[in-house]
Amino acid sequence: MDGVKAAKRRKITDKSVPNALAQLPEFAEDSHMYQSLLEMEKRLDWTMNRKKVEVQDALARNPTTTRTLRLFLSHTVSGQLWQTGEAGAEGVNFETGQGIPAWSLKVEGRLLELPNQRARDRVSPRKFSTLIKRMIVELDRDPTLYPDGNVIEWPRGPTIQQPLDGFTVRRTGDQPTKVRLIVYLEQTPEQYKVASDLGNVLGIKEESRIGIIQAMWNYIKIHGLQDKTDRRRIRADDYLRPIFGGEGIMFHQLPELVNRYLMPPDPVIIYYTINPTQIPPERPSAWDIEVKMEDVGLKNRIMVTVQSSKDSTSDLTKLDDEIALLSQSLHNSHTKRQFLQSFARDPANFIQTWLASQSRDLESVLGSGPSEGATIRAEELRRSDFFRLPWVEEAVAVHEGLRLASRGMQ
């Protein structure tokens, strides 16, 4: 029964047209067009499967892009002499800090929008604090007057922090102050500075680990440094010999070799001057910094494409099943047509041929079992003595006993 159920559940996949039917003049043109469509469908299925694999690979690797981070620096002042006048010194409250000359430095940042981006592809931009690992503000002030608070550091903690659009540093003072801002970027994938020994050979200064290994492999392929006999071995040229430390290395040693020449990337350093004796600029100063990050927009579009592909795939599967059923029906109709045409041309000969075929099938069925497929000869079937053999009576008795036992159980 399990075999019958499995046969019923088996999906019909053959969508071809019978050759005999395709060769008929009245169906030749339509059959040729149908076969051409099948060939085109095979090529299209192959292309779609290849693209599906590429899309899945892109999702697994997290697509990246380069965006522009615009950094803004501005400052405000309060309690300065030019703001309060000569009488301002009388209103100073050292307990509350009111009236004491001070200034505030504001550091902000935001990602610039992509040009020609569709409104439906826009996603909420990331906050400035999520784009940096660490930020240090160094104030160049007289340590005798201002001994504390000249170095301010913001590290990203291991715990989840509230994303921020910017930071504000407030200090007292009325003297011009030079500010040195050091920013360590958070990039995806992680970027590394390449040592000059390897960087000069590959022509890169900063790149991800995978990008550096890929550049190394491209250099090996372009210069034909892969051993002709042992493809796992990489030969060294004049430039790579100092890096390899010999005449060659094995292919699996490349990542370990590259790691020796990787260093943390240089931070972004920005200089800014705060002059409390003058009116602050109306507009903040701005710097543009390139940041490599995950392409969320592309990833969302790919996910939408994959989802729509699943829906269309189910529709195509239903259509394929319908075409396969119609093709099977065409095969059955063609078989019936050949059967009836053969019977109409020569009924007597057709009946004899059909009976002989059925007889052979019956012999094959009866001959299966201990005789390993041997058939019973026609002469033995015709002789009545065959049915008087001792085992026949015993077989009939066993059969009747089983039948009566089953009836008694009912």
Side-chain angles (χ1 to χ4, degrees):
M1 291 297 293
D2 295 338
V4 175
K5 292 181 180 179
K8 291 182 179 179
R9 290 196 300 266
R10 190 177 297 118
K11 183 181 292 186
I12 301 174
T13 58
D14 186 15
K15 296 184 289 185
S16 61
V17 176
N19 293 330
L21 187 62
Q23 294 174 1
L24 294 177
E26 57 267 29
F27 300 115
E29 184 177 356
D30 294 338
S31 299
H32 179 71
M33 294 173 61
Y34 180 72
Q35 292 297 332
S36 299
L37 286 176
L38 289 180
E39 293 296 329
M40 183 182 297
E41 184 185 22
K42 290 180 181 179
R43 293 193 298 268
L44 183 60
D45 288 342
W46 183 87
T47 303
M48 290 175 63
N49 290 331
R50 181 170 60 86
K51 290 297 182 182
K52 187 182 297 184
V53 172
E54 292 177 357
V55 168
Q56 292 174 350
D57 182 63
L59 286 175
R61 290 186 292 106
N62 283 338
T64 58
T65 184
T66 301
R67 297 286 299 272
T68 301
L69 170 64
R70 180 157 292 177
L71 194 65
F72 299 94
L73 290 181
S74 60
H75 70 275
T76 58
V77 297
S78 62
Q80 301 297 326
L81 184 61
W82 58 270
Q83 293 176 311
T84 60
E86 296 181 356
E90 300 177 358
V92 174
N93 188 336
F94 292 98
E95 294 181 358
T96 61
Q98 184 177 1
I100 298 177
W103 50 262
S104 297
L105 173 67
K106 194 168 187 179
V107 183
E108 299 175 294
R110 64 179 177 86
L111 286 174
L112 299 184
E113 294 184 359
L114 295 174
N116 303 324
Q117 187 180 24
R118 297 179 299 183
R120 64 180 182 180
D121 294 335
R122 292 176 183 173
V123 295
S124 56
R126 290 172 56 180
K127 298 287 187 179
F128 173 59
S129 63
T130 64
L131 299 172
I132 60 176
K133 291 181 179 178
R134 189 160 59 105
M135 186 177 67
I136 301 174
V137 180
E138 297 179 352
L139 306 178
D140 186 11
R141 302 196 295 179
D142 188 354
T144 58
L145 296 177
Y146 309 99
D148 299 326
N150 293 327
V151 177
I152 305 97
E153 182 175 357
W154 180 86
R156 178 184 292 180
T159 59
I160 300 177
Q161 299 176 342
Q162 183 68 24
L164 303 173
D165 286 323
F167 306 89
T168 301
V169 177
R170 178 178 173 81
R171 291 292 183 269
T172 58
D174 56 0
Q175 299 297 320
T177 303
K178 293 182 179 180
V179 179
R180 184 170 178 257
L181 182 66
I182 306 174
V183 181
Y184 295 87
L185 298 174
E186 176 73 36
Q187 304 197 76
T188 304
E190 186 74 21
Q191 300 295 299
Y192 295 91
K193 181 182 178 181
V194 187
S196 58
D197 296 342
L198 181 61
N200 293 335
V201 176
L202 302 180
I204 53 178
K205 295 182 179 179
E206 188 173 306
E207 185 57 77
S208 65
R209 179 183 281 106
I210 296 177
I212 298 169
I213 296 175
Q214 184 65 42
M216 185 75 167
W217 177 238
N218 291 337
Y219 179 89
I220 292 170
K221 289 194 297 183
I222 291 173
H223 293 83
L225 301 180
Q226 194 173 13
D227 194 278
K228 303 295 184 183
T229 305
D230 187 357
R231 307 297 290 179
R232 299 173 300 172
R233 183 170 179 78
I234 308 300
R235 295 181 290 103
D237 59 3
D238 295 337
Y239 298 102
L240 291 181
R241 194 169 290 109
I243 298 173
F244 287 179
E247 294 299 325
I249 62 172
M250 300 303 291
F251 179 79
H252 67 271
Q253 296 175 326
L254 275 181
E256 181 182 356
L257 176 70
V258 169
N259 288 339
R260 301 175 190 170
Y261 293 88
L262 301 185
M263 299 177 292
D266 295 331
V268 177
I269 300 178
I270 298 175
Y271 295 94
Y272 187 76
T273 301
I274 299 175
N275 190 357
T277 62
Q278 297 179 358
I279 301 176
E282 295 182 358
R283 296 182 178 180
S285 301
W287 289 264
D288 286 346
I289 306 170
E290 289 188 350
V291 181
K292 289 182 173 60
M293 56 187 301
E294 183 181 3
D295 195 343
V296 180
L298 177 58
K299 190 172 183 178
N300 291 339
R301 292 198 299 271
I302 292 177
M303 293 298 294
V304 172
T305 303
V306 170
Q307 185 61 36
S308 61
S309 175
K310 291 180 179 179
D311 298 337
S312 59
T313 301
S314 62
D315 296 338
L316 290 176
T317 303
K318 293 179 181 178
L319 293 175
D320 284 341
D321 294 341
E322 293 179 6
I323 294 174
L325 289 175
L326 292 175
S327 177
Q328 185 66 27
S329 176
L330 187 61
H331 276 272
N332 297 337
S333 299
H334 176 64
T335 303
K336 293 178 181 179
R337 182 173 181 267
Q338 285 184 326
F339 181 88
L340 295 175
Q341 282 183 339
S342 300
F343 179 75
R345 283 195 297 266
D346 190 354
N349 187 30
F350 176 80
I351 292 296
Q352 293 296 331
T353 304
W354 181 72
L355 289 176
S357 175
Q358 295 296 314
S359 178
R360 287 194 301 270
D361 293 342
L362 180 60
E363 289 182 1
S364 299
V365 173
L366 294 178
S368 60
S371 58
E372 297 182 357
T375 58
I376 302 175
R377 292 177 298 176
E379 293 81 3
E380 293 178 346
L381 289 175
R382 294 194 189 99
R383 291 185 307 188
S384 59
D385 295 340
F386 177 79
F387 299 99
R388 294 192 178 92
L389 294 176
W391 63 267
V392 176
E393 184 178 355
E394 182 180 356
V396 171
V398 171
H399 175 72
E400 284 298 314
L402 292 175
R403 186 174 65 83
L404 293 175
S406 62
R407 180 181 299 178
M409 292 177 62
Q410 294 177 356

